[in-house]
Amino acid sequence: DGGITQSPKYLFRKEGQNVTLSCEQNLNHDAMYWYRQDPGQGLRLIYYSQIVNDFQKGDIAEGYSVSREKKESFPLTVTSAQKNPTAFYLCASSIRGDTQYFGPGTRLTVL
Amino acid sequence: SQQGEEDPQALSIQEGENATMNCSYKTSINNLQWYRQNSGRGLVHLILIRSNEREKHSGRLRVTLDTSKKSSSLLITASRAADTASYFCATAPGGGNKLTFGTGTQLKVEL
């Protein structure tokens, strides 16, 4: 099956810890994206990557980091510098930037 | 800031009725997309309408685009309980790869 997967589905973190969220796609898409969604809100772009070994900051990149070493993978690290990390995180991919295909999301809770 | 703003924020209708939601945006676009999100899940792409199109249909969905008013509408005909979800419009300002999402319309279809 082709698709985009995220793991874990639920993640709990203590304050001061870094955590890494996984995003994998086998759609052969060049572009990948990370979004954050807060309750009752739309999506806000954290980082995006249009090609392997290249990525750009989105609207709310502070406190986050990414890497794009492989076309299939775009992991997001939520660092201790992110002041309010509890949120729903969504990963997406696309071919040319038109339609984006989303993963099921990871819900991160900071304890 | 949000490029797209949906209206209304919430909509409750009876099964069989039509549901109409609107989206306004601020800058020029190449296309406008509508996505659906079931509670706690990732987004699913519904339909894309290009800036040179005025209307597009897909099953029970009808989307219109008025570039002079910078607005779009999504009509779901003969709604079903399974249509209950949040609906988001998304645009790529300047035609780039980055999508900007609105805050969404929460649709509830009651039996």
Side-chain angles (χ1 to χ4, degrees):
Chain A
D1 283 342
I4 181 165
T5 58
Q6 292 183 243
S7 62
K9 187 172 182 179
Y10 298 98
L11 186 57
F12 298 90
R13 179 194 109 172
K14 292 182 180 178
E15 278 194 39
Q17 288 182 335
N18 293 355
V19 287
T20 297
L21 283 58
S22 168
C23 178
E24 304 277 333
Q25 54 98 1
N26 60 4
L27 300 167
N28 201 32
H29 288 171
D30 287 316
M32 297 186 74
Y33 312 81
W34 273 106
Y35 295 91
R36 171 186 170 129
Q37 186 179 33
D38 292 284
Q41 300 295 313
L43 278 66
R44 291 185 290 168
L45 183 65
I46 304 172
Y47 267 99
Y48 66 107
S49 168
Q50 299 188 62
I51 198 166
V52 175
N53 293 322
D54 185 52
F55 49 82
Q56 285 81 42
K57 293 181 179 180
D59 300 318
I60 55 164
E62 186 176 348
Y64 300 97
S65 66
V66 294
S67 63
R68 187 86 188 276
E69 296 175 2
K70 298 187 298 182
K71 188 175 187 177
E72 305 79 28
S73 179
F74 191 40
L76 173 75
T77 297
V78 184
T79 75
S80 57
Q82 168 50 235
K83 302 231 183 313
N84 186 19
T86 293
F88 189 48
Y89 290 87
L90 287 159
C91 179
S93 68
S94 70
I95 297 176
R96 290 181 302 274
D98 280 350
T99 301
Q100 292 190 13
Y101 296 85
F102 283 81
T106 292
R107 190 166 298 280
L108 172 64
T109 302
V110 174
L111 304 173
Chain B
S1 62
Q2 296 285 349
Q3 161 78 332
E5 296 291 338
E6 289 89 345
D7 169 56
Q9 287 189 327
L11 180 61
S12 183
I13 59 174
Q14 297 295 120
E15 200 170 48
E17 294 180 338
N18 295 343
T20 300
M21 48 206 94
N22 304 295
C23 169
S24 60
Y25 58 92
K26 295 174 185 169
T27 64
S28 64
I29 58 171
N30 284 350
N31 63 68
L32 184 143
Q33 305 178 44
W34 284 92
Y35 288 81
R36 164 198 169 121
Q37 183 182 34
N38 287 75
S39 182
R41 304 284 187 90
L43 276 69
V44 174
H45 180 259
L46 294 176
I47 196 164
L48 180 152
I49 185 165
R50 301 201 181 277
S51 59
N52 61 353
E53 297 176 306
R54 292 295 167 259
E55 188 171 312
K56 199 163 183 179
H57 296 255
S58 176
R60 292 184 297 113
L61 306 180
R62 172 178 167 252
V63 168
T64 62
L65 179 64
D66 187 334
T67 53
S68 67
K69 294 180 180 177
K70 292 187 169 59
S71 68
S72 173
S73 68
L74 171 66
L75 168 68
I76 304 174
T77 60
S79 63
R80 305 167 182 167
D83 294 327
T84 294
S86 292
Y87 292 83
F88 296 90
C89 68
T91 58
N97 285 344
K98 293 168 50 178
L99 283 182
T100 300
F101 288 81
T103 51
T105 292
Q106 281 190 296
L107 173 65
K108 183 174 181 182
V109 181
E110 299 185 79
L111 295 169

